[in-house]
Amino acid sequence: MTLVQMHSRSPGTPTVPRTVADAMDSAGPQVWDAMTVEVALSVMAAARTAHLVVCDEDGQCTGLVTRARLTAVRDGSGYTDRVRLRDVSDDGGPFASPLTTVAEAEHAMRHRRLGALPVVDEHGNVLGVVALSR
């Protein structure tokens, strides 16, 4: 998905910043933070996705993990088959609000070198994911 899209408009038309709610994709697979890395990689392969939204036992989004991150953990020297997603994901975000502008989300993702960012509501429920195009 491309975050920056050019639209022609007539001169004098006021611009309204697009929000991530306009640009987000569905959240895709959501998994519990107690899932093991190996099972998460299997879920990713089956779903043909490069990321998973991670939720806690209450169903609140705690972050997002990527195939690259999980593969690096699995290939690391300290890896065992008991490592869980809660052990490798970044607790507490980053997240985007549905009111975040596309430009703000793109800046945050490029600054933090993220390929995707979960969009959550005020209660921590995942609404979707906004991603940079490759």
Side-chain angles (χ1 to χ4, degrees):
M1 157 186 250
T2 303
L3 283 177
V4 178
Q5 297 177 350
M6 301 300 288
H7 298 282
S8 60
R9 59 182 172 85
S10 59
T13 305
T15 58
V16 177
R18 272 182 67 206
T19 65
V20 295
D22 301 322
M24 70 183 177
D25 292 327
S26 69
Q30 297 178 38
V31 296
W32 302 122
D33 61 1
M35 180 178 281
T36 65
V37 167
E38 210 57 49
V39 172
L41 284 166
S42 294
V43 169
M44 280 185 190
R48 296 181 181 175
T49 186
H51 64 267
L52 296 170
V53 173
V54 181
C55 298
D56 65 14
E57 62 277 352
D58 297 323
Q60 304 301 301
C61 180
T62 60
L64 185 134
V65 292
T66 63
R67 179 179 292 130
R69 172 78 170 123
L70 295 183
T71 301
V73 168
R74 184 188 61 196
D75 294 343
S77 62
Y79 177 76
T80 71
D81 62 357
R82 299 172 70 102
V83 176
R84 304 205 178 274
L85 295 181
R86 72 171 61 104
D87 302 326
V88 299
S89 64
D90 298 326
D91 287 335
F95 305 112
S97 155
L99 301 177
T100 302
T101 68
V102 170
E104 291 169 332
E106 181 178 19
H107 175 76
M109 286 188 285
R110 290 192 191 285
H111 179 72
R112 294 181 180 192
R113 296 186 175 135
L114 303 171
L117 192 62
V119 180
V120 298
D121 67 13
E122 65 274 6
H123 303 291
N125 300 310
V126 66
L127 302 173
V129 173
V130 64
L132 291 172
S133 63
R134 301 244 183 254

